[in-house]
Amino acid sequence: MQGTRRADIKPGQMVKVVQKQDQRTGKLTEGVVVRILTNSPQHHHGIKVKLEDGTVGRVKEIMD
């Protein structure tokens, strides 16, 4: 599932995010959501979240 809708993302979920410095390469980082940082209901580049390890990035994929 894509990570463009805020309603689809909940703290505790496993997701894959792209960090700011990895946007050109598209390298994804996997982790568990601690906090949702984007306030708007959707964002075309992905909802920005903070992961358990402190990584901040935009959700590209929601894991099942």
Side-chain angles (χ1 to χ4, degrees):
M1 185 185 314
Q2 298 268 327
T4 56
R5 289 184 55 222
R6 193 177 195 275
D8 295 339
I9 301 166
K10 305 278 184 272
Q13 271 185 320
M14 182 71 90
V15 296
K16 288 185 180 178
V17 301
V18 64
Q19 296 179 63
K20 182 82 171 172
Q21 68 267 22
D22 295 330
Q23 284 177 344
R24 287 180 187 262
T25 63
K27 178 185 168 224
L28 298 178
T29 305
E30 198 171 299
V32 177
V33 176
V34 175
R35 222 173 127 217
I36 300 171
L37 303 175
T38 300
N39 289 323
S40 61
Q42 59 188 21
H43 192 285
H44 60 285
H45 289 302
I47 299 298
K48 191 178 279 187
V49 297
K50 184 174 188 177
L51 303 181
E52 280 182 336
D53 65 357
T55 301
V56 173
R58 293 197 180 273
V59 177
K60 292 298 176 185
E61 192 178 328
I62 299 171
M63 311 295 282
D64 292 328

